[in-house]
Amino acid sequence: MEAALQTARALASRRPGAVLHVGIAGARGLEPPALVLGSESVYCDVIDPSSTLPRVERIEPDAELLARVREALPEAHLLPIATCGRVGAGTACDVEAMEGFGVLRACALAGVPAVELRAISNAPGEADRGAWQFEDAFAALGDAVARVLSTPPIR
């Protein structure tokens, strides 16, 4: 929720041409520091079969922006990324992070193209953050962002 609110606030004060949402993530079956581009963001915490409230639980990235980022990062895996508030709770997807859905949803509602890029730092079930490979993941992310930013801007 906080990511969505802060993104909406930032979008209201300055209107970017696009948003590249980056961060680390946990993944099953991918070794750190693999890169992942979100084919969609799945909000796992909102999936409650007994709830009758209307809700949005999945959002796709902007197709044109995703294609451009994929071109810059051909080695990146294209997979759904779960947004969940607890490590290991994103069982709907093999990749999990914490705020992607909120950021992409706020951007979509504001009409700003957005895509999520993650570098894997750990397995989702690994609750011991001392075992996470932060430095490798952040280094991979820094290199990836530099390559994305070196591509021509979106018009």
Side-chain angles (χ1 to χ4, degrees):
M1 290 294 291
E2 191 64 25
L5 293 170
Q6 293 299 332
T7 300
R9 179 188 216 179
L11 293 172
S13 67
R14 53 186 172 266
R15 182 94 177 155
V19 171
L20 176 64
H21 176 62
V22 301
I24 60 172
R28 288 178 267 294
L30 295 176
E31 291 298 316
L35 296 174
V36 176
L37 281 168
S39 60
E40 67 177 339
S41 182
V42 181
Y43 188 14
C44 295
D45 295 341
V46 78
I47 300 171
D48 176 359
S50 65
S51 176
T52 58
L53 294 173
R55 62 189 174 255
V56 175
E57 60 190 51
R58 295 174 184 270
I59 189 159
E60 294 183 2
D62 178 81
E64 182 182 344
L65 181 59
L66 177 61
R68 292 174 60 94
V69 175
R70 283 195 78 188
E71 195 173 299
L73 304 171
E75 77 281 13
H77 300 268
L78 182 63
L79 297 167
I81 300 174
T83 292
C84 50
R86 182 172 52 88
V87 173
T91 57
C93 304
D94 286 336
V95 180
E96 71 175 40
M98 294 183 72
E99 66 288 313
F101 179 89
V103 171
L104 266 63
R105 181 77 172 130
C107 289
L109 290 173
V112 174
V115 67
E116 184 173 8
L117 170 64
R118 298 289 178 162
I120 304 305
S121 63
N122 60 284
E126 180 57 68
D128 176 8
R129 292 185 184 201
W132 293 13
Q133 297 179 36
F134 289 113
E135 289 182 25
D136 292 341
F138 287 132
L141 204 52
D143 175 65
V145 169
R147 288 189 287 148
V148 169
L149 294 179
S150 71
T151 62
I154 293 181
R155 305 260 179 233

